[in-house]
Amino acid sequence: MSETALRAALAKSGAAGIGQISIATREDGSFALTHHEDAARDDLALYANADDAAQLSRFDDAGNYRPLKTAPSLRHGWRLTVPDHRSLDFALDLFYPGRLAAFLAWDRGRLVTTPLRETLQRQTGMYRPAAKISDPEADGLVGSFCRSDGGCLRTILWKRDRDGSPASTLLPPEKFDPAHDQTGLGRPTVPLLCQEACNLLVAEARKIVKCGASADSDTSSEAGEPRDGTHQ
Amino acid sequence: MISSSTSALLIVGHGSTVNPDSSAPTLQHGAEIRRRGIFSEVACCFWKEEPSLRDALLYFADETIRDVYVVPNFISEGYFTRTVVPRELELTGPETHRKSGQAWKYCKPAGSHERMSELLLQRAREVAPGIPEAETTLLVVGHGTSLNDNSAAAAKHQAGIIRGLNRYAAVLNVYMEEPPLVADWLKLTRTRNVVVVPFFVSDGLHSDEDIPALLGIRSQERNGQDGNPHQIQGRSLFYSTAIGTDPKFAEVIIEQAASFETQGQEVESAS
Ligand code: SF4
């Protein structure tokens, strides 16, 4: 990813960060990243290697693993300083994997979005049943799983199907608006775009089809896939 | 020959929605390869984590990148390498040409590299330093039948190669879920020293908990390689972390990319 593209994106939007991360530019050209709620704190644990972002983004404040990096559960208490744009890109790609690439593709009018039905129908193995989710069930699932408040901070760009039905009627219009700050703080923002349903949502759709909408734990989603992969 | 200015590397891992250690080795190998400057860009993507394989289609937008080498960080060929990876990355064969003219070159999985037996050997020596190999049995542990990924055959293949070197008193491939069972190790081995190397790409429940439990290592002693040797029924048991956590795995990934021209990966239809 080019330095100028990210710089341009931040400058164009007037944003001082991405998602829950604040980015402060220092006089020497380096960047200091913190949780946006920590920007004014001076008692933070200090990190100086862009690769540290992998560890910083892995767990939430309570120590729980964060399988979805765009969930609004970024942990607090750290400041990561990186020397240049290149390392800033690396760090951000660990905090929010693939999101800068998606933003740049979108900004250039090249981002291809995939309707949910297409993502589901493409699945094989243990995820194949996910395609059987009904429209109302999908509406409810996306409405709760992807919501910015407690679910995921991405801006949804995909539709439910080819005819353009919305991803969910239960989400507010701003969930689909890249200009809207999904953290709810109303700041200028570089959006975290969702161009295609993630694997976690597909796994949830499968659970609903297999176990009914109330199923909330299904360990077989980890170990079971290859077992069903007999069609290979 | 890989041209560092026009080539990129994409390492594809499985990842996990419950195990935080699953993607760590892939990310570490990616960081190490990036440091070496062999490729103009190095990225990782995961089936169960972000960035997803679909996200990886958005990487490498720099027009100077002509070739993207795709190396699956898997132990063996199977369902993921033949079906999931090609489908999600829209690969149509060993070499896929994108509209941009970029060529995506699908390489063999890291675990199938011919140097893997050398790595297993080195790892075995590292976890049991100074222990005479001629008085030691080496166990290469694979998953076994429930994973449809030929990992059992891969572990058997590696054990066969190492056995042929005649260094260890015995070299056995054992499995968690099919015979020869890792749980039967006391019956299967005769030597006082036994070295166990899990043939997995990352640590996780299997290598941290399941295999130690099957070996009879007490739960309070299941602490990676720190508790070695474990004294069990008069035997000295040396337990290794998963082979995929070895820093030398990064070299194997590079070599799999370099050997693409001679042995690209076949793909099957996703249907
Ligand atoms: S589908 Fe997109 S918006 Fe919904 S949870 Fe996954 S990444 Fe977030």
Side-chain angles (χ1 to χ4, degrees):
Chain A
M1 185 167 318
S2 78
E3 303 177 3
T4 48
L6 174 59
R7 194 165 22 205
L10 287 167
K12 193 162 135 192
S13 64
I18 293 182
Q20 291 181 289
I21 296 174
S22 278
I23 306 170
T25 310
R26 298 183 153 180
E27 275 175 15
D28 62 358
S30 66
F31 299 93
L33 284 67
T34 57
H35 189 296
H36 71 85
E37 289 165 356
D38 286 347
R41 276 172 65 178
D42 56 9
D43 59 343
L44 300 168
L46 303 180
Y47 297 84
N49 189 335
D51 287 329
D52 290 332
Q55 177 209 336
L56 292 170
S57 61
R58 198 165 291 153
F59 302 98
D60 65 14
D61 282 330
N64 299 312
Y65 176 48
R66 300 173 69 233
L68 182 63
K69 297 289 180 285
T70 43
S73 57
L74 185 67
R75 79 182 234 213
H76 295 76
W78 52 270
R79 174 174 279 119
L80 171 64
T81 307
V82 293
D84 51 29
H85 269 97
R86 199 173 160 77
S87 44
L88 177 63
D89 283 353
F90 283 143
L92 289 176
D93 203 49
L94 289 166
F95 280 117
Y96 292 128
R99 290 317 91 206
L100 284 174
F103 175 79
L104 293 176
W106 175 79
D107 200 42
R108 292 169 189 163
R110 291 187 197 159
L111 185 63
V112 177
T113 65
T114 308
L116 177 63
R117 286 278 167 218
E118 240 169 74
T119 304
L120 295 178
Q121 272 149 21
R122 204 179 62 227
Q123 302 304 313
T124 54
M126 68 174 275
Y127 291 119
R128 195 190 287 276
K132 293 199 192 111
I133 192 168
S134 70
D135 285 347
E137 282 170 338
D139 197 56
L141 169 64
V142 174
S144 70
F145 197 78
C146 302
R147 72 189 194 284
S148 295
D149 172 17
C152 176
L153 292 173
R154 292 204 205 183
T155 303
I156 296 180
L157 298 183
W158 43 268
K159 305 287 185 187
R160 193 177 66 209
D161 39 41
R162 279 244 163 254
D163 70 15
S165 334
S168 172
T169 56
L170 304 172
L171 293 168
E174 54 268 26
K175 182 66 179 174
F176 312 102
D177 176 8
H180 182 78
D181 176 9
Q182 300 296 335
T183 62
L185 297 172
R187 307 159 307 174
T189 190
V190 174
L192 301 164
L193 300 173
C194 186
Q195 80 280 14
E196 174 164 354
C198 66
N199 190 290
L200 287 163
L201 187 73
V202 173
E204 291 299 315
R206 170 188 176 269
K207 272 188 215 169
I208 287 172
V209 171
K210 297 282 274 188
C211 324
S214 63
D216 58 2
S217 71
D218 179 6
T219 51
S220 69
S221 63
E222 273 302 300
E225 166 141 6
R227 271 181 207 125
D228 288 354
T230 48
H231 54 277
Q232 66 174 297
Chain B
M1 239 340 246
I2 292 172
S3 157
S4 62
S5 58
T6 62
S7 301
L9 174 68
L10 178 64
I11 311 173
V12 185
H14 189 278
S16 167
T17 55
V18 295
N19 169 18
D21 297 326
S22 176
S23 56
T26 302
L27 290 171
Q28 275 155 16
H29 302 325
E32 170 59 26
I33 297 169
R34 194 175 294 125
R35 262 191 290 280
R36 295 192 193 186
I38 300 167
F39 298 90
S40 68
E41 271 185 47
V42 178
C44 302
C45 65
F46 302 93
W47 174 226
K48 297 258 190 153
E49 287 181 44
E50 301 156 277
S52 67
L53 279 71
R54 306 295 292 170
D55 290 333
L57 294 171
L58 303 169
Y59 285 137
F60 319 117
D62 188 331
E63 283 165 10
T64 60
I65 296 174
R66 307 311 300 152
D67 297 309
V68 176
Y69 291 86
V70 180
V71 178
N73 194 21
F74 285 79
I75 278 302
S76 63
E77 286 183 41
Y79 173 62
F80 289 104
T81 64
R82 297 211 181 111
T83 302
V84 175
V85 176
R87 183 190 73 213
E88 298 290 294
L89 290 180
E90 299 174 4
L91 303 176
T92 53
E95 192 162 330
T96 304
H97 291 269
R98 305 293 189 204
K99 273 197 206 115
S100 63
Q102 205 172 57
W104 284 46
K105 300 181 168 183
Y106 193 28
C107 309
K108 297 269 186 198
S112 69
H113 193 271
E114 57 190 20
R115 274 189 59 195
M116 205 44 61
S117 46
E118 185 188 319
L119 239 65
L120 287 163
L121 260 180
Q122 283 178 6
R123 181 43 81 99
R125 264 187 246 124
E126 282 163 19
V127 294
I131 302 298
E133 292 160 12
E135 297 164 23
T136 303
T137 301
L138 172 61
L139 301 183
V140 179
V141 188
H143 192 286
T145 42
S146 75
L147 283 176
N148 193 359
D149 65 354
N150 302 324
S151 65
K156 187 174 179 183
H157 177 68
Q158 295 302 334
I161 294 173
I162 301 171
R163 195 178 304 127
L165 301 173
N166 282 324
R167 289 202 203 154
Y168 282 85
V171 182
L172 304 176
N173 44 290
V174 292
Y175 307 114
M176 294 171 61
E177 296 192 355
E178 68 177 270
L181 286 166
V182 62
D184 290 337
W185 72 279
L186 281 162
K187 277 186 261 165
L188 295 167
T189 61
R190 299 208 156 71
T191 54
R192 184 178 151 69
N193 303 312
V194 177
V195 176
V196 183
V197 184
F199 194 40
F200 290 84
V201 286
S202 65
D203 281 324
L205 267 189
H206 293 328
S207 62
D208 291 343
E209 297 288 338
D210 300 343
I211 299 171
L214 293 168
L215 288 166
I217 297 174
R218 286 184 301 178
S219 52
Q220 62 270 33
E221 289 173 14
R222 287 176 209 156
N223 194 13
Q225 295 172 187
D226 292 348
N228 285 332
H230 302 275
Q231 302 300 335
I232 299 173
Q233 298 200 23
R235 313 285 196 96
S236 290
L237 183 77
F238 299 83
Y239 186 63
S240 162
T241 51
I243 190 67
T245 62
D246 194 305
K248 293 182 207 80
F249 230 72
E251 274 155 43
V252 171
I253 291 170
I254 295 167
E255 286 180 25
Q256 279 305 44
S259 60
F260 168 81
E261 308 299 344
T262 51
Q263 46 168 325
Q265 164 96 275
E266 294 299 323
V267 305
E268 287 184 359
S269 84
S271 59

